[in-house]
Amino acid sequence: ANCPVSSVAQKRTATSNMRQSVYYTALAGCVLSSEGLNVFAPLKPPSKSYAGPPPSKVNTESWLDVLKYDEPPKFDVLAKSIDFANCKSFDQIGEFFAEDYVFRGPIIGPINGEDVRSAQEGFNVQNAYPNLETRPFGFTIDPDNAYRCYWFERWEGTNTESVKIGETVLPPTNNDLKLPTHIMSANWTPEGKIKYICLSNPLDRFEGTTKGAGAVFGLLAGAGVKFDKLAVGDPVLRFQQRLTNALGSFGRNWSLEEDIPDWWKSKARGADKNDM
């Protein structure tokens, strides 16, 4: 015969088990819904955004004011800068340059587009790193000039081809290379062309594998070239630059005076200290 007491006990046990199951299921749901623990939750955008500072309230005059315009841009400066920064060849890059384009780095320039190309082809530096990536990121518009865009670059690649320096050919090291991060900026014209590009010093000299050497100098360092000093104002470097610029055998550190666009007013060349 069936025992009614046993039947009731079984029902109570089943009910208790069901309650426990519901409880643990609900608890698991709470855990999974927690943003800190739920690995399946979709990523959310940052809770805080920053539009940048307001335009400067300090009025100054500069010879670089020629790079500012009264009318706002009629094209997307940010989008065009991103397109430019992701170009893979000099032929693509050259399409963006204005006729009076100038490049200036900490110790190189002012130099026009044709001389930049000739210098790079003379060294064969970029071809020595067939997998070179400039890895641009962090694009932003200058709050004081709607025609200027800034971004970061952190170059990396592998030296699998030789580098030519004058008559000297350096064999490939086959070493992987990561350069310290630097900042780039591009000044655009109302016609949608780049008039001026500036490249900064490395931001963190301890980053990467080149002991602080950045950009093209970092690529040369990765190929085995030794640099004792690359500093603005260094007298030995300034003498070497003027010598190699006069010989023209290593590519130009800056363009000939007649080939520098008239809008560029500074007379500082290469590693010279600022004169303006």
Side-chain angles (χ1 to χ4, degrees), residues 195-211:
K195 186 167 184 167
Y196 175 45
I197 281 188
C198 176
L199 181 150
S200 78
N201 277 313
L203 299 178
D204 182 353
R205 64 191 179 98
F206 295 101
E207 180 185 31
T209 60
T210 60
K211 296 183 178 179

Side-chain angles (χ1 to χ4, degrees), residues 152-225:
F152 300 91
E153 291 184 350
R154 185 181 294 137
W155 297 6
E156 66 181 25
T158 308
N159 178 214
T160 57
E161 301 292 339
S162 60
V163 171
K164 181 181 178 183
I165 304 177
E167 299 300 321
T168 303
V169 178
L170 300 176
T173 63
N174 294 308
N175 290 334
D176 292 328
L177 183 75
K178 180 173 282 187
L179 274 60
T181 306
H182 62 253
I183 296 174
M184 298 286 294
S185 75
N187 283 82
W188 296 80
T189 68
E191 294 74 33
K193 296 292 186 178
I194 296 176
K195 186 167 184 167
Y196 175 45
I197 281 188
C198 176
L199 181 150
S200 78
N201 277 313
L203 299 178
D204 182 353
R205 64 191 179 98
F206 295 101
E207 180 185 31
T209 60
T210 60
K211 296 183 178 179
V216 173
F217 293 102
L219 298 181
L220 289 171
V225 179

Side-chain angles (χ1 to χ4, degrees), residues 18-145:
M18 183 176 67
R19 286 175 178 171
Q20 289 181 354
S21 177
V22 171
Y23 170 76
Y24 287 120
T25 300
L27 179 62
C30 290
V31 171
L32 289 175
S33 65
S34 171
E35 292 182 1
L37 298 174
N38 185 4
V39 296
F40 304 106
L43 294 176
K44 292 185 178 181
S47 59
K48 206 171 185 180
S49 61
Y50 181 59
S56 174
K57 298 178 181 179
V58 179
N59 294 321
T60 59
E61 292 185 1
S62 168
W63 60 278
L64 288 176
D65 287 343
V66 68
L67 300 171
K68 297 181 178 180
Y69 305 93
D70 294 331
E71 296 295 323
K74 296 181 179 179
F75 59 93
D76 191 332
V77 174
L78 190 70
K80 291 203 72 166
S81 299
I82 292 172
D83 289 343
F84 168 77
N86 283 282
C87 288
K88 299 298 183 183
S89 70
F90 200 90
D91 288 335
Q92 293 175 321
I93 291 173
E95 294 295 320
F96 287 87
F97 293 160
E99 291 184 2
D100 55 353
Y101 164 80
V102 171
F103 169 84
R104 190 62 161 103
I107 60 172
I108 295 295
I111 188 168
N112 62 38
E114 283 303 315
D115 286 339
V116 169
R117 181 170 191 159
S118 297
Q120 290 183 351
E121 290 176 347
F123 281 116
N124 194 42
V125 177
Q126 291 186 333
N127 290 338
Y129 295 82
N131 65 340
L132 179 67
E133 294 288 343
T134 58
R135 304 180 67 224
F137 63 98
F139 292 81
T140 187
I141 299 297
D142 187 335
D144 297 330
N145 187 352

Side-chain angles (χ1 to χ4, degrees), residues 244-256:
T244 57
N245 221 49
L247 296 174
S249 56
F250 294 97
R252 296 200 174 278
N253 296 291
W254 56 84
S255 295
L256 296 174

